[in-house]
Amino acid sequence: MEFLASMEAALLPVVVTINKYLSDYILIALLVGTGLFFTIKTKFVQVRCFGEGMKQVFGNMKFKGGKQAAGMTSFQALATAIAAQVGTGNIVGASGAILVGGPGAIFWMWIIAFFGMATIYAEAILAQKTRVVKEDGTVLGGPVYYIRTAFKGAFGKFLAVFFAVASILALGFMGAMVQSNSIGESCNNAFGIPAWVVGVIVAAVSVAIFIGGAQRIASVTEKLVPIMAGLFLVGGLVILVCRAQYVPETIGLIFKYAFTPDALIGGGLGYALKTAISQGAKRGLFSNEAGMGSTPHAHAQAIVEDPHKQGVSAMIGVFVDTFVVLTMTALVVITCLYTGNGALAGLQGDAYIAATSGATAVVSKATAMQMAAGSVFGTGFGSAFVAVCLLFFAFSTIISWNLFGKINVEYLFGKKGVLVYSIIAVVFIFLGSCLSNDLVWELTDMFNQLMVIPNVLAMWALAKMVKGRMEQ
């Protein structure tokens, strides 16, 4: 444990510095720029085809899609993508964005997500059009395949390898650590179970699912996603009904602090606004993953007659993740903690910073949602409710991200590398429950953000392959 502590102390400041430049400058430019570009190119596909996407998703929703000869049904692919999207980012990540950037960070998450719906539409189209179907029916697809299509020769190979390595680290290893870390901490807070014990259990269950491959993951996610989302939304609605008198104020705080965050978190307006926007961009990426290049691995697996259909389904994944699930978290946290008799109500500047940062923080990103739910349900039941929801969310992300990492391992090393990858991934799931929350999150943010760069470069290069339905 002393070795782990010293390693954390040495790594944390380095990773924080890298992330500062990535999220404050590069990430915002790439995500917003790419989203704007594809929104214009597809003539606002996220608006025009929203109804079509809803019909495509909910008209084909099945809890048992059956075993496919190859690939997945459209809904199974979307469920696998949503399982990856709806994870700790929707609870812990959203809470952290609010605490650091103020309630206004949620507004910027919405903006990122709106344009991100066009981005993910493009990702799904490219994944469908560049995927490879092997002789045995195995479907291989994702950013590495459209990166190689976009860029030939040594440069394309370098970008593809860079993306593959970053995604294996970000999703299969570091990402798994974030999820198990959050599961362990929330279960420890709610039930008193040691985090490492939770890590062992999660790792053991993960092994059973990993062994079954893509088909078993699809079977699990198509059942798990609707149940976990429904449970969380029902609980959130009950909380909002109980705090209904504060909901209008909550909406007002989101829009007020979107443009004047300095009134809450202190510092000059420029610094505060940059903080709010960067938190929205960083946590928005971690939540809905549009532009990151993770979910195209799932959308490539979908057996559909028209790539456009999977594209509009992918858009609904971002909508559900951000505008439904993440927004529910935001409304609950802000309504319970920032209004009325909430723990952060009325605090500003130094007082606010003291209450939301450091070892003596009154509220942390790991405990904010549990405190909010506890203020209505009671401490015991509130903590348990959030812990159970987080267990579902984070576990579904672990199994989906493992599949995405596996696809990239096969690209780099062939099937012979899968066993070694799976063993290392399970070890990282356990380690995540033992390491500090801050380092785990910073490492994941860094590799997530590095994935964006080669992914969006290829998307821009292949823009002619992405067409809105009206152009086809």
Side-chain angles (χ1 to χ4, degrees):
M1 287 300 177
E2 287 185 10
F3 170 75
L4 289 176
S6 61
M7 181 184 70
E8 289 176 43
L11 276 178
L12 186 58
V14 175
V15 178
V16 168
T17 301
I18 294 173
N19 283 343
K20 179 180 178 181
Y21 288 98
L22 285 172
S23 61
D24 288 359
Y25 305 103
I26 298 173
L27 186 65
I28 292 174
L30 288 178
L31 291 181
V32 176
T34 303
L36 273 169
F37 175 78
F38 283 106
T39 293
I40 294 169
K41 178 168 180 59
T42 61
K43 297 180 174 65
F44 284 81
V45 68
Q46 65 268 59
V47 177
R48 291 189 300 102
C49 299
F50 181 78
E52 180 186 353
M54 294 292 282
K55 184 177 179 180
Q56 173 73 13
V57 172
F58 295 103
N60 295 316
M61 186 171 72
K62 296 178 182 178
F63 289 97
K64 189 175 182 180
K67 186 174 182 179
Q68 308 301 307
M72 305 177 185
T73 66
S74 179
F75 180 72
Q76 285 178 330
L78 178 64
T80 302
I82 294 178
Q85 293 166 313
V86 179
T88 58
N90 293 78
I91 296 180
V92 181
S95 298
I98 295 169
L99 294 176
V100 176
I106 299 303
F107 173 83
W108 298 110
M109 277 191 180
W110 290 339
I111 297 298
I112 292 291
F114 175 76
F115 292 117
M117 290 173 73
T119 300
I120 211 163
Y121 172 84
E123 288 181 297
I125 294 290
L126 293 176
Q128 279 280 314
K129 289 187 174 182
T130 61
R131 69 182 188 171
V132 175
V133 181
K134 300 179 74 173
E135 291 183 2
D136 62 358
T138 301
V139 178
L140 299 175
V144 289
Y145 294 92
Y146 57 73
I147 288 171
R148 291 305 305 271
T149 301
F151 304 108
K152 306 299 183 182
F155 182 64
K157 185 175 181 180
F158 167 76
L159 283 183
V161 170
F162 181 89
F163 177 88
V165 172
S167 64
I168 292 167
L169 293 173
L171 306 178
F173 299 158
M174 305 302 174
M177 292 173 73
V178 163
Q179 309 302 325
S180 64
N181 181 278
S182 297
I183 293 172
E185 188 162 350
S186 64
C187 287
N188 180 258
N189 290 338
F191 310 115
I193 304 173
W196 70 268
V197 173
V198 177
V200 170
I201 296 172
V202 172
V205 178
S206 298
V207 169
I209 296 176
F210 293 168
I211 291 173
Q215 292 291 337
R216 184 171 298 173
I217 289 173
S219 178
V220 171
T221 57
E222 71 179 342
K223 300 174 183 66
L224 186 59
V225 167
I227 293 172
M228 73 181 192
L231 173 67
F232 181 71
L233 293 176
V234 168
L237 283 173
V238 171
I239 294 172
L240 292 181
V241 168
C242 294
R243 301 277 294 183
Q245 68 188 99
Y246 301 110
V247 171
E249 181 183 352
T250 293
I251 302 298
L253 289 175
I254 291 174
F255 286 94
K256 174 184 177 181
Y257 291 127
F259 302 99
T260 58
D262 57 312
L264 178 69
I265 64 177
L269 176 59
Y271 165 79
L273 192 57
K274 184 182 74 172
T275 300
I277 295 174
S278 66
Q279 283 295 312
K282 182 164 63 175
R283 294 299 168 223
L285 173 67
F286 188 80
S287 176
N288 63 56
E289 302 180 29
M292 193 169 88
S294 54
T295 58
H297 297 99
H299 295 302
Q301 300 285 322
I303 307 301
V304 291
E305 69 275 13
D306 182 357
H308 170 80
K309 291 186 179 295
Q310 197 59 30
V312 295
S313 293
M315 293 190 322
I316 303 305
V318 172
F319 177 82
V320 169
D321 172 85
T322 301
F323 291 101
V324 179
V325 179
L326 183 144
T327 297
M328 180 61 75
T329 297
L331 293 177
V332 168
V333 168
I334 298 169
T335 300
C336 294
L337 301 183
Y338 286 78
T339 66
N341 60 349
L344 302 176
L347 298 181
Q348 292 185 339
D350 292 342
Y352 177 79
I353 294 172
T356 58
S357 62
T360 59
V362 175
V363 184
S364 71
K365 62 187 177 186
T367 61
M369 187 62 182
Q370 287 181 315
M371 286 182 64
S375 68
V376 173
F377 292 144
T379 302
F381 184 78
S383 292
F385 168 73
V386 174
V388 169
C389 290
L390 195 55
L391 173 63
F392 280 119
F393 283 15
F395 183 70
S396 70
T397 300
I398 287 174
I399 59 177
S400 292
W401 278 2
N402 180 268
L403 172 63
F404 302 163
K406 176 184 173 184
I407 291 171
N408 286 283
V409 167
E410 285 196 44
Y411 173 78
L412 292 175
F413 308 109
K415 288 192 175 182
K416 63 180 181 293
V418 171
L419 178 61
V420 175
Y421 162 76
S422 298
I423 293 172
I424 296 173
V426 171
V427 172
F428 270 79
I429 291 171
F430 170 73
L431 286 177
S433 65
C434 303
L435 292 177
S436 79
N437 190 282
D438 289 338
L439 178 61
V440 170
W441 274 92
E442 291 292 343
L443 283 170
T444 303
D445 283 341
M446 183 178 73
F447 288 109
N448 282 347
Q449 291 168 144
L450 289 174
M451 288 172 61
V452 173
I453 299 172
N455 183 55
V456 299
L457 286 177
M459 292 177 68
W460 280 72
L462 297 176
K464 290 183 178 179
M465 292 177 66
V466 181
K467 298 179 181 179
R469 171 53 63 85
M470 287 171 56
E471 297 176 88
Q472 293 179 338

